[in-house]
């Protein structure tokens, strides 16, 4: 990353980071897509088992990944301060934490996984597939967490294309491994849906191997000597990551679980409503990759400028990123609304499901705008390493505004399931407004542009 001087240069810098991140996000989405589709080709019960396993693993993974994402703003600030040794120290302690957290998650899984699956009262075949799928995934947990730490380091230096290339190289490997392990080709055992878990685990090790090779041997990463003196360990360094990472992880976790709770609450409606909601949610989740990619880039850029004490530039990046996210959300939202029946038709051939999905997608326009504001405002605050108040704000918005409002509108008005969409939109908009106010406060009180220098 380099210092920028105009809004045009800053816009270009955002997109230079953004596009590879977005492609990487799409690649990760594709891996889950491969797991689901190919398991469904094997049998419906395997598809259900993989879906259940994914629903259990996804909130855990996204929450824990949020902790490792803390490496990005911390390392970016150190990089902006030109403190290369401290950047390396942060990354090393992120790797230590990934090992410790892996051990904790595996131990919890040993004791809790079977009781959770038993509580869900699944069909025996679905139960067994979900269990075996998660066991398969567990073999890739350590490399996946280590990869996320190293990815955060690479992003902190602004070299987002590196991870994009790794993802694009790994996708065909994952596809082949899925085919081999699910269907038992080329002499390998036929594992059904569980094979998708083992295929993903092997792909995670490949991710990690390529990333380690690049970090150790390619500039500018090799100059940081991340893998030298690995015996040094400090709880204080771990605490710094956890102090920022835990609120970040919990914010992601609670946001993810809100949508899971809404799905559960919708189970009282008919099958058509549930199918339409899931279809619309899938569309929204896919488009959400754009603001989340902007958010990742924004955290790094704001952190870099704050570290260099260029507070005016950090402020400009913050609001420019929010503006770009909102502009894109309006554009994609209008496209979805204009072609809502065609989009709905991709998910179902039943007229009732298509019509209701198309109706839900109208609400998705306002949902996307609200989500874009809150995601990018929160990302900018992460760049300033201001996460605790932001976490409380999002917790209140998700659990005290989104859910109650959606429940009341869905059950005590004639809106029905549409009420949940309105509730989610109102809650996300409240979060966006609150986080934006917090961002203004932080920029005025703690990072005032009047004390900004031109330190290079």
């Amino acid at each position: 990353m380099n210092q920028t001087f105009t809004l045009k240069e800053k816009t270009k810098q955002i997109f230079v980071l953004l596009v590879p991140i977005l492609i990487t996000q799409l690649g990760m989405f594709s891996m889950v897509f491969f797991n689901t589709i190919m398991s469904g080709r094997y049998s419906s019960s395997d598809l259900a088992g993989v879906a259940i396993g994914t629903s259990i693993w996804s909130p855990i993974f996204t929450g824990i990944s949020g902790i490792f994402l803390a490496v990005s703003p911390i390392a970016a600030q150190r990089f902006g301060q030109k403190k290369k040794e401290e950047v390396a120290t942060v990354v090393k302690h992120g790797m230590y934490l990934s090992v410790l957290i892996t051990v904790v998650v595996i131990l919890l899984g040993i004791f809790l996984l079977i009781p959770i699956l038993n509580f869900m009262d699944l069909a025996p075949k679905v139960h067994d597939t979900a269990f075996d799928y998660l066991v398969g995934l567990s073999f890739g947990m350590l490399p996946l967490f280590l990869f996320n730490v190293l990815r955060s380091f690479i992003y902190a230096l602004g070299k987002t294309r590196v991870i994009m290339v790794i993802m694009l190289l790994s996708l065909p490997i994952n596809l082949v491994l899925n085919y081999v392990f699910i269907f038992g080709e080329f002499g390998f055992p036929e594992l059904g849906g569980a094979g998708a878990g083992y295929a993903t685990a092997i792909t995670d090790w490949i991710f990690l191997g390529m990333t380690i090779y690049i970090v150790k041997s390619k500039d500018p990463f090799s100059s940081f000597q991340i893998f030298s003196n690995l015996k040094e360990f400090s709880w204080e360094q771990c605490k710094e990551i956890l102090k920022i990472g835990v609120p970040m992880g919990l914010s992601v976790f609670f946001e993810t679980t809100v949508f899971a709770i809404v799905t559960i609450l919708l189970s009282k409606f008919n099958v058509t409503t549930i199918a339409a909601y899931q279809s619309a949610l899938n569309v929204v989740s896919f488009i959400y990759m754009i603001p989340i990619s902007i958010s990742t880039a924004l955290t790094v850029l704001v952190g870099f400028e704050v570290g260099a004490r260029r507070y005016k530039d950090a402020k400009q990046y913050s609001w420019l990123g929010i503006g770009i996210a909102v502009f894109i959300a309006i554009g994609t939202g209008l496209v979805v609304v204009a072609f809502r029946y065609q989009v709905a038709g991709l998910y179902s051939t039943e007229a009732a499901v298509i019509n209701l999905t198309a109706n839900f997608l109208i609400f998705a326009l306002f949902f996307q705008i609200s989500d874009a504001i809150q995601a990018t405002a929160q990302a900018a605050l992460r760049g300033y390493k201001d996460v605790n108040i932001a976490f409380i704000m999002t917790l209140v918005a998700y659990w005290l505004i989104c859910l109650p409002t959606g429940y009341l509108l869905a059950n005590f008005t004639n809106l029905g399931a549409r009420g949940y969409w309105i509730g989610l939109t109102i809650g996300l908009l409240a979060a966006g407004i609150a986080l934006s106010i917090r961002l203004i406060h932080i920029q005025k009180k703690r990072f005032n542009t009047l004390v900004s220098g031109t330190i290079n």
Side-chain angles (χ1 to χ4, degrees):
M1 288 183 296
N2 300 308
Q3 183 179 1
T4 54
F5 300 94
T6 66
L7 285 178
K8 183 178 179 180
E9 290 178 353
K10 285 180 170 61
T11 302
K12 181 180 178 180
Q13 183 71 77
I14 289 175
F15 278 95
V16 165
L17 269 66
L18 161 65
V19 173
I21 293 172
L22 178 58
I23 294 173
T24 301
Q25 293 286 348
L26 290 170
M28 292 181 171
F29 180 88
S30 297
M31 285 183 63
V32 177
F33 179 78
F34 291 156
N35 288 349
T36 305
I37 292 297
M38 297 184 76
S39 297
R41 294 274 182 176
Y42 187 79
S43 78
S44 58
S45 58
D46 283 80
L47 171 61
V50 170
I52 293 295
T54 300
S55 68
I56 293 172
W57 171 240
S58 290
I60 298 170
F61 169 66
T62 52
I64 293 174
S65 293
I67 297 175
F68 301 135
L69 286 174
V71 170
S72 272
I74 299 172
Q77 286 199 12
R78 300 288 195 276
F79 184 52
Q81 294 165 348
K82 302 188 182 302
K83 297 179 179 179
K84 295 182 71 171
E85 290 186 4
E86 292 189 20
V87 171
T89 299
V90 170
V91 179
K92 289 175 188 177
H93 284 82
M95 292 192 292
Y96 296 147
L97 281 174
S98 69
V99 176
L100 292 173
I101 291 173
T102 298
V103 172
V104 171
V105 173
I106 289 176
L107 288 174
L108 289 173
I110 290 172
F111 292 104
L112 298 178
L113 179 55
I114 291 179
I116 289 172
L117 291 173
N118 288 339
F119 176 77
M120 298 177 77
D121 194 25
L122 304 167
K125 175 61 177 172
V126 175
H127 178 288
D128 292 343
T129 299
F131 177 82
D132 293 339
Y133 173 72
L134 288 169
V135 169
L137 283 179
S138 70
F139 286 99
M141 193 180 303
L142 177 60
L144 182 60
F145 289 166
L146 286 169
F147 167 74
N148 273 289
V149 173
L150 295 176
R151 179 175 65 154
S152 295
F153 161 60
I154 292 171
Y155 281 177
L157 303 190
K159 306 296 182 180
T160 54
R161 274 185 283 186
V162 172
I163 300 299
M164 178 190 73
V165 172
I166 291 173
M167 176 59 65
L168 292 177
L169 289 173
S170 300
L171 270 178
I173 297 173
N174 178 252
L175 182 59
V176 171
L177 289 173
N178 265 312
Y179 177 70
V180 166
F181 285 107
I182 291 174
F183 297 98
E185 300 293 339
F186 307 114
F188 285 89
E190 184 179 339
L191 301 175
Y198 290 96
T200 301
I202 295 172
T203 307
D204 291 338
W205 282 104
I206 293 171
F207 277 163
L208 180 63
M210 287 193 286
T211 308
I212 289 175
Y213 169 75
I214 290 170
V215 170
K216 288 187 69 173
S217 61
K218 303 297 180 181
D219 288 329
F221 316 110
S222 58
S223 64
F224 288 84
Q225 299 184 341
I226 298 298
F227 297 100
S228 64
N229 300 320
L230 286 175
K231 292 183 179 180
E232 64 177 63
F233 180 83
S234 166
W235 273 113
E236 290 303 315
Q237 292 289 339
C238 290
K239 285 179 183 177
E240 181 182 12
I241 296 174
L242 291 172
K243 184 178 179 180
I244 297 173
V246 170
M248 287 172 62
L250 288 174
S251 293
V252 176
F253 176 78
F254 284 123
E255 182 177 5
T256 305
T257 52
V258 161
F259 289 95
I261 295 296
V262 170
T263 301
I264 293 171
L265 292 173
L266 276 166
S267 62
K268 64 168 283 188
F269 292 91
N270 58 40
V271 174
T272 298
T273 301
I274 297 170
Y277 170 78
Q278 289 295 340
S279 299
L281 183 61
N282 188 266
V283 173
V284 170
S285 298
F286 183 77
I287 296 174
Y288 181 63
M289 292 183 197
I290 299 175
I292 204 66
S293 299
I294 296 173
S295 298
T296 303
L298 202 56
T299 296
V300 170
L301 290 167
V302 172
F304 176 71
E305 298 296 347
V306 168
R309 293 177 59 84
R310 295 191 289 263
Y311 302 141
K312 181 179 180 180
D313 293 295
K315 181 179 180 180
Q316 288 177 340
Y317 269 124
S318 300
W319 297 106
L320 182 60
I322 293 171
I324 290 172
V326 172
F327 179 77
I328 293 175
I330 292 171
T332 55
L334 289 174
V335 170
V336 168
V337 170
F339 297 96
R340 59 189 181 278
Y341 288 100
Q342 290 85 344
V343 172
L346 297 174
Y347 291 88
S348 178
T349 57
E350 298 178 22
V353 175
I354 291 173
N355 289 331
L356 188 54
T357 302
N359 191 280
F360 285 159
L361 288 174
I362 295 174
F363 295 97
L365 167 62
F366 306 101
F367 177 91
Q368 286 173 222
I369 296 170
S370 300
D371 212 6
I373 296 171
Q374 72 88 24
T376 46
Q378 190 171 18
L381 286 168
R382 289 170 180 169
Y384 288 103
K385 297 200 298 188
D386 185 78
V387 293
N388 292 319
I389 299 299
F391 163 64
I392 294 171
M393 287 176 171
T394 53
L395 182 62
V396 170
Y398 299 151
W399 288 87
L400 298 183
I401 299 177
C402 279
L403 281 179
T405 303
Y407 182 83
L408 290 172
L409 291 174
N411 293 279
F412 296 96
T413 72
N414 59 0
L415 287 169
R418 299 172 186 81
Y420 285 112
W421 279 109
I422 297 173
L424 289 168
T425 301
I426 292 172
L428 290 172
L429 181 60
I433 293 171
L435 291 167
S436 297
I437 292 171
R438 176 65 181 175
L439 182 59
I440 293 170
H441 172 78
I442 287 295
Q443 290 170 340
K444 283 186 176 180
K445 300 298 182 181
R446 290 172 50 188
F447 298 93
N448 196 310
T449 57
L450 294 177
V451 298
S452 175
T454 55
I455 301 171
N456 295 315

